[in-house]
Amino acid sequence: MNRREARENAFITLFAAQFGGDVQEALEAGREVGDYAVDEFGEGLLALYQANAPQVDSVIEARLKGWKMQRLQKVSAAILRISVAEMLYGTEDLDSVIINEAVEITKKYGGEDEYQFVNGVLGSVSREEPKAAGGAAPKPNAPAGTEEG
């Protein structure tokens, strides 16, 4: 599975978890179905978000101009969370790739102009937010908050 597919499947998993389940249940359901199974890279993205959820949501909300996360479309919320977590806490410095793939995923799953909103928020994060110290992704099976060594 390439990185783009891994990001998309991680997005789908987080999107599904927003409907009352949790990420682990959504991961297991994806494995059972087989169509949206998440590989090690995708699991790392989900772990990054889970380990840093309050900070990620705060960074996003700061750019919503009077809105709250709860008011966002679920597609936008899920793709922003995965993308911001990767941009701030991931080990790679590829914001332009992350943004491009987030926009393409949003075009595929979101509303007509939703991708423009996602692009704007992620562009702002890329320009204004420093990458977290260390920036190492937790291992997928490691407890949240631990880093690869």
Side-chain angles (χ1 to χ4, degrees), residues 20-132:
D22 67 18
V23 172
Q24 194 58 41
E25 289 173 1
L27 274 170
E28 291 169 13
R31 285 188 189 110
E32 286 177 20
V33 172
D35 290 341
Y36 302 107
V38 178
D39 68 0
E40 187 175 339
F41 178 76
E43 284 187 32
L45 295 178
L46 292 166
L48 283 174
Y49 173 67
Q50 288 182 296
N52 301 288
Q55 298 90 338
V56 168
D57 285 358
S58 177
V59 166
I60 296 167
E61 268 195 8
R63 286 152 179 84
L64 298 182
K65 299 179 183 169
W67 285 46
K68 297 287 183 192
M69 288 294 296
Q70 299 85 341
R71 290 190 63 199
L72 291 184
Q73 298 291 328
K74 290 197 183 299
V75 168
S76 292
I79 196 62
L80 285 171
R81 285 172 165 155
I82 288 285
S83 301
V84 169
E86 184 178 7
M87 289 167 69
L88 298 182
Y89 302 102
T91 57
E92 300 177 23
D93 190 23
L94 300 170
D95 287 1
S96 61
V97 172
I98 295 166
I99 293 168
N100 182 287
E101 291 186 2
V103 165
E104 292 305 314
I105 291 168
T106 307
K107 284 179 180 178
K108 183 174 180 179
Y109 294 99
E112 187 174 321
D113 295 326
E114 204 168 338
Y115 73 93
Q116 294 171 337
F117 170 76
V118 167
N119 185 55
V121 171
L122 293 178
S124 174
V125 170
S126 179
R127 286 186 305 276
E128 299 168 7
E129 288 293 325
K131 195 164 186 78

